[in-house]
Amino acid sequence: MTIRMDKAALTEFLKTAFPQVHGDFQIDAVRSNSVTVRLLTAERHLRPGGTVSGPSMFALADVSIYLAILSRIGPRALAVTTNCTIDFMRKPAAAAEMICEARLLKLGRVLAVGDAMLFSDGMTEPVARAGLTYSIPPGAAI
Amino acid sequence: MTIRMDKAALTEFLKTAFPQVHGDFQIDAVRSNSVTVRLLTAERHLRPGGTVSGPSMFALADVSIYLAILSRIGPRALAVTTNCTIDFMRKPAAAAEMICEARLLKLGRVLAVGDAMLFSDGMTEPVARAGLTYSIPPGAAI
Amino acid sequence: MTIRMDKAALTEFLKTAFPQVHGDFQIDAVRSNSVTVRLLTAERHLRPGGTVSGPSMFALADVSIYLAILSRIGPRALAVTTNCTIDFMRKPAAAAEMICEARLLKLGRVLAVGDAMLFSDGMTEPVARAGLTYSIPPGAAI
Amino acid sequence: MTIRMDKAALTEFLKTAFPQVHGDFQIDAVRSNSVTVRLLTAERHLRPGGTVSGPSMFALADVSIYLAILSRIGPRALAVTTNCTIDFMRKPAAAAEMICEARLLKLGRVLAVGDAMLFSDGMTEPVARAGLTYSIPPGAAI
């Protein structure tokens, strides 16, 4: 499977296309079917007690799988999230960065499906697990 | 079913317990088994094109059902979100406030389940639908 | 919204297209955007203790929303289930029939989304709640 | 992590506790945190065209994660499925057996979470992916 956008290209895309949030995320790795993305945890991502908020974890999982799709179909596409399921399983470490391991399970003509495992940096057990589905606009997919 | 916290009590609680986000939300109504909560849409909730972001919709659904639980079990409880599923069905109206109609489907000893329908203010068809589960700590539930 | 298949037409369709399972279900009502379908609970649907099994509830929710879609797009379509989320909230009444209230939330060009509330006949609180997404093949939707 | 029930013990348990369905499944492997379970596909699991039905896949994922939990907490427990999310991603091979790789992501005091990847025997890409949550009755978990 060809990678159409690598780490540098995806980082640049994030900056241009999502100016509101690009500073929240750092792309650590891009592989043929998966990406590793980091939440650069800041005050605005935290809940009382210093744990990363649910919406921030949602955002991390969403952007990660979105980037995994783009790495394969290139920047012309505009995939839209249609479904997200998250299981919150453990309390994140206070104020720690979060690391998301996201992989594509399916990249179809109309739908893409990915899953993501979210870790607090330094913890071995996952904090959350997410599955997301995206609708791929006509002409966009491979 | 008794309401243990009404609109005023829940509004005050939101302010005290969630200083980071309370300004994002306005509680419109509290009923015996449901609440209506409004996202006071601002620049930070938007994606390119002016539509409300997925994480902001997640946050709205989560806070709404959480408040519905608190309205029934009172402020001493600390319910924790364990699962969330969202279907994003339509594009929200640009920059419009979002209205969440949330209701409790189950308030058990250990688990509470609620669902939420999210609308752009002025649209009749729902933008998103969410289901959330919360773990209720021992001694907290009715 | 036009109904393209009414109760009689859907009942006939179920019999022809799903000979393996049509005897499990009875269509109670078909409305412009929702259907009521009944699981004719038999030994094969039960778990130890006499409660309806999870897979049987899944089947009931799936067939109900599928029928709701067909009632709108007609029998030529072949919608495919792409996602299902079920919350099992209460123990079903032993050996009772189950009633599913299913409604369409979205009937789009490529995706349809519905939700379903499942009750044991005679109970007022829902046993389960389900949300399902279907992929609509090209040329099938309205 | 100790295994409290091995393959032989789980197979025996399935036979005794679930006489209705034990003939549908074969336990292929039990590891410290995961199991492999096979659906012995028969006529009753099929839909028109010979593909395994959604409810049969649900049943396979459910029994697999349930067995993974029992392998850790022993036969005295009665875990109850509270939530299930399945993504159906590809058409199963006609009439083929299905193989489920299930692993535990969390085994807590009150909740267990697992995920499962389902394959048609002989296909390399997954047919479906599922995530399930179970409520663990008091005194049952480790």
Side-chain angles (χ1 to χ4, degrees):
Chain A
M1 290 169 290
T2 319
I3 293 184
R4 297 199 181 189
M5 295 179 82
D6 62 8
K7 193 168 114 173
L10 288 174
T11 300
E12 186 56 33
F13 174 87
L14 201 58
K15 212 163 158 177
T16 313
F18 295 97
Q20 298 98 326
V21 298
H22 84 93
D24 292 357
F25 305 110
Q26 173 187 305
I27 303 171
D28 278 4
V30 177
R31 291 164 230 92
S32 70
N33 213 30
S34 66
V35 300
T36 305
V37 179
R38 183 179 288 266
L39 176 70
L40 303 172
T41 307
E43 184 61 28
R44 67 186 170 281
H45 306 118
L46 304 180
R47 280 283 182 274
T51 58
V52 171
S53 73
S56 299
M57 288 194 237
F58 172 93
L60 175 59
D62 191 20
V63 82
S64 299
I65 300 177
Y66 184 75
L67 290 171
I69 296 172
L70 289 194
S71 76
R72 294 277 301 281
I73 65 176
R76 67 197 145 75
L78 192 67
V80 175
T81 310
T82 56
N83 176 268
C84 173
T85 299
I86 306 191
D87 291 297
F88 299 101
M89 300 185 289
R90 293 176 183 87
K91 202 178 156 145
E97 294 188 351
M98 293 208 78
I99 295 163
C100 178
E101 302 286 350
R103 62 181 168 157
L104 280 183
L105 297 176
K106 173 184 169 149
L107 179 56
R109 232 175 9 88
V110 268
L111 288 179
V113 180
D115 70 2
M117 207 66 89
L118 280 69
F119 300 85
S120 280
D121 200 359
M123 277 174 68
T124 53
E125 301 285 349
V127 165
R129 184 265 317 263
L132 287 97
T133 302
Y134 297 77
S135 176
I136 314 253
I142 302 171
Chain B
M1 291 169 289
T2 320
I3 293 183
R4 297 199 180 188
M5 294 180 82
D6 62 9
K7 192 168 116 172
L10 287 175
T11 300
E12 186 56 34
F13 174 86
L14 201 58
K15 211 164 160 176
T16 314
F18 295 96
Q20 297 99 325
V21 297
H22 83 93
D24 292 356
F25 305 110
Q26 172 187 307
I27 304 170
D28 278 4
V30 177
R31 292 164 228 92
S32 70
N33 213 31
S34 66
V35 300
T36 305
V37 180
R38 182 179 289 265
L39 176 70
L40 303 170
T41 306
E43 183 61 27
R44 65 185 171 281
H45 305 119
L46 303 181
R47 281 281 182 276
T51 58
V52 171
S53 73
S56 299
M57 288 194 235
F58 172 93
L60 175 60
D62 190 20
V63 81
S64 298
I65 300 178
Y66 184 76
L67 291 171
I69 295 172
L70 289 193
S71 77
R72 294 277 300 284
I73 66 176
R76 67 197 146 74
L78 192 66
V80 176
T81 310
T82 56
N83 176 268
C84 173
T85 299
I86 307 192
D87 291 297
F88 298 100
M89 300 185 289
R90 293 176 183 86
K91 203 178 157 146
E97 295 189 351
M98 291 208 77
I99 295 163
C100 177
E101 301 287 349
R103 62 181 168 157
L104 280 181
L105 297 176
K106 173 184 169 148
L107 180 56
R109 232 174 11 86
V110 272
L111 288 180
V113 181
D115 69 4
M117 208 67 91
L118 279 70
F119 300 85
S120 279
D121 200 359
M123 277 174 66
T124 53
E125 301 285 348
V127 165
R129 184 266 317 263
L132 287 97
T133 303
Y134 298 78
S135 176
I136 313 251
I142 301 170
Chain C
M1 290 168 289
T2 319
I3 293 183
R4 298 200 179 187
M5 296 180 82
D6 62 8
K7 193 168 113 174
L10 288 175
T11 299
E12 187 56 33
F13 174 87
L14 200 58
K15 213 165 160 175
T16 313
F18 296 97
Q20 298 100 326
V21 299
H22 83 94
D24 293 356
F25 306 110
Q26 172 187 304
I27 304 170
D28 278 4
V30 177
R31 291 164 229 92
S32 71
N33 212 30
S34 65
V35 301
T36 305
V37 180
R38 182 178 291 264
L39 175 71
L40 303 171
T41 306
E43 183 62 27
R44 67 185 170 281
H45 305 119
L46 303 181
R47 281 282 183 275
T51 57
V52 172
S53 73
S56 299
M57 289 195 234
F58 172 92
L60 175 60
D62 191 20
V63 82
S64 300
I65 299 177
Y66 184 75
L67 291 171
I69 295 172
L70 289 194
S71 76
R72 295 276 301 282
I73 67 176
R76 68 197 145 74
L78 192 68
V80 176
T81 310
T82 56
N83 176 269
C84 172
T85 299
I86 306 191
D87 291 297
F88 299 101
M89 299 185 289
R90 293 176 183 85
K91 203 180 156 143
E97 293 188 351
M98 292 208 78
I99 295 162
C100 178
E101 302 286 351
R103 63 181 167 155
L104 281 182
L105 297 176
K106 173 184 169 148
L107 180 55
R109 230 173 13 86
V110 271
L111 288 179
V113 180
D115 70 2
M117 207 66 91
L118 279 70
F119 300 85
S120 280
D121 200 0
M123 277 174 67
T124 52
E125 300 285 349
V127 165
R129 184 265 318 262
L132 286 96
T133 303
Y134 297 78
S135 176
I136 314 251
I142 301 170
Chain D
M1 292 167 287
T2 318
I3 293 182
R4 298 199 181 190
M5 295 180 82
D6 62 9
K7 194 169 115 174
L10 288 175
T11 299
E12 186 57 34
F13 175 87
L14 201 58
K15 212 163 161 178
T16 314
F18 295 97
Q20 298 98 328
V21 298
H22 83 93
D24 292 357
F25 305 110
Q26 173 188 303
I27 304 170
D28 277 4
V30 177
R31 292 164 229 92
S32 70
N33 212 30
S34 65
V35 301
T36 305
V37 179
R38 182 178 290 265
L39 176 70
L40 303 170
T41 306
E43 183 60 29
R44 66 185 170 282
H45 305 119
L46 302 181
R47 281 282 183 275
T51 59
V52 172
S53 73
S56 299
M57 289 196 235
F58 172 92
L60 175 59
D62 191 20
V63 81
S64 299
I65 299 178
Y66 184 75
L67 290 171
I69 296 172
L70 290 193
S71 76
R72 295 278 300 281
I73 67 176
R76 68 198 147 74
L78 193 65
V80 176
T81 310
T82 56
N83 175 270
C84 173
T85 300
I86 306 192
D87 291 297
F88 299 100
M89 300 184 289
R90 293 176 183 85
K91 203 178 157 144
E97 294 189 351
M98 292 208 76
I99 294 164
C100 177
E101 302 286 350
R103 63 182 168 156
L104 281 181
L105 297 177
K106 173 183 169 153
L107 179 56
R109 234 173 8 86
V110 273
L111 288 180
V113 180
D115 69 4
M117 207 67 88
L118 280 69
F119 301 86
S120 280
D121 200 358
M123 277 174 66
T124 53
E125 300 285 349
V127 165
R129 185 266 316 265
L132 287 97
T133 302
Y134 298 78
S135 176
I136 314 254
I142 301 172

